[in-house]
Amino acid sequence: MNPPLLCELEMGAQRGERADERTDEMQSSEDWEVSRRGVLLASAGAAAASAAPASAQPAAPSIVPVRFEVNGLPRDLRVDTRTTVLDALREHLHLTGTKKGCDHGQCGACTVILDGRRINSCLTLAVMHEGAKITTIEGLGQPNRLHPLQAAFIAHDGYQCGYCTPGQICSAVAMLDELKAGQPSHVSESLTERPQASDAELRERMSGNLCRCGAYSNIQEAIGEFAGVRA
């Protein structure tokens, strides 16, 4: 046979062998990839199956008894353990003066006084406060017997739509008690001396209560008059 032709045939055979090797390698890689995906899918399916509840039906809510003293009266309730103080007041006791605003503790519309402290009632569960004493806007005053701070809000037109007003007033009442107790704020000049009521103190301490109508100056004047501070 012609030597050049023989050489070409041998080179062709070698190229064919290398092509076969590459094909085998690709098939092996594909088989491994398919196998790896299969293992991952099977593992994920097993994990999901083990985490799934035995029954597709949602668990029944847990209803428990809870007792408060609300505006001076004992109140016995049976509530879902997920019920907030705000919803217990509004939906169970029908004390709708306390408002649901943002429902995230950012606006202060739901402020009530619980065991002498102001709280955002949308952020705490009713079952956490067994035996607590709660004061809402209805417990501070009534139309025929206004709390002095309520009267000051009226005199200074400290509201427009009025939605935030119950929370503003409850917050202000408890805030002034904090001031009298000597609790400092971020603007207090000293952490050891009793802070004095001032325009800056009142503004800082009421900063957690938002008024979307923008009646802040009138609110400040109402609280300042009640506290003996000229805004």
Side-chain angles (χ1 to χ4, degrees), residues 69-125:
E69 181 182 304
V70 182
N71 298 330
L73 299 175
R75 306 301 296 265
D76 292 288
L77 302 175
R78 292 184 61 81
V79 299
D80 187 316
T81 52
R82 298 165 295 183
T83 302
T84 63
V85 171
L86 172 61
D87 287 333
L89 293 171
R90 288 182 57 85
E91 306 299 331
H92 292 263
L93 298 178
H94 308 294
L95 295 171
T96 55
T98 304
K99 303 304 182 188
K100 178 175 286 195
C102 65
D103 211 24
H104 286 76
Q106 297 175 347
C107 72
C110 68
T111 304
V112 299
I113 303 171
L114 189 147
D115 288 337
R117 298 178 57 193
R118 51 180 173 160
I119 66 164
N120 291 323
S121 60
C122 72
L123 290 185
T124 187
L125 299 175

Side-chain angles (χ1 to χ4, degrees), residues 32-49:
W32 163 247
E33 184 64 23
V34 171
S35 176
R36 186 173 68 86
R37 284 199 297 267
V39 170
L40 291 176
L41 289 172
S43 300

Side-chain angles (χ1 to χ4, degrees), residues 5 22 90 94 96 98 130 150 156 195 203 205:
L5 178 59
R22 287 195 296 270
R90 288 182 57 85
H94 308 294
T96 55
T98 304
E130 171 71 29
Q150 290 175 311
H156 290 274
R203 288 181 183 276
R205 292 170 185 268

Side-chain angles (χ1 to χ4, degrees), residues 20-192:
D20 290 340
E21 290 176 358
R22 287 195 296 270
T23 301
D24 292 341
E25 290 176 358
M26 291 175 63
Q27 290 177 346
S28 177
S29 176
E30 290 176 357
D31 292 342
W32 163 247
E33 184 64 23
V34 171
S35 176
R36 186 173 68 86
R37 284 199 297 267
V39 170
L40 291 176
L41 289 172
S43 300
S50 63
S55 172
Q57 297 296 326
S62 179
I63 306 299
V64 298
V66 62
R67 165 172 283 201
F68 303 130
E69 181 182 304
V70 182
N71 298 330
L73 299 175
R75 306 301 296 265
D76 292 288
L77 302 175
R78 292 184 61 81
V79 299
D80 187 316
T81 52
R82 298 165 295 183
T83 302
T84 63
V85 171
L86 172 61
D87 287 333
L89 293 171
R90 288 182 57 85
E91 306 299 331
H92 292 263
L93 298 178
H94 308 294
L95 295 171
T96 55
T98 304
K99 303 304 182 188
K100 178 175 286 195
C102 65
D103 211 24
H104 286 76
Q106 297 175 347
C107 72
C110 68
T111 304
V112 299
I113 303 171
L114 189 147
D115 288 337
R117 298 178 57 193
R118 51 180 173 160
I119 66 164
N120 291 323
S121 60
C122 72
L123 290 185
T124 187
L125 299 175
V127 295
M128 297 170 60
H129 300 287
E130 171 71 29
K133 296 181 179 181
I134 301 174
T135 302
T136 69
I137 191 66
E138 293 92 344
L140 286 179
Q142 295 293 323
N144 59 347
R145 184 176 49 84
L146 293 175
H147 186 280
L149 189 54
Q150 290 175 311
F153 264 70
I154 294 173
H156 290 274
D157 196 21
Y159 52 87
Q160 289 185 32
C161 76
Y163 196 83
C164 73
T165 306
Q168 296 273 2
I169 293 175
C170 285
S171 185
V173 169
M175 175 271 295
L176 292 173
D177 287 339
E178 295 165 6
L179 190 61
K180 291 177 182 177
Q183 298 178 19
S185 75
H186 286 294
V187 300
S188 298
E189 295 181 359
S190 172
L191 297 179
T192 57

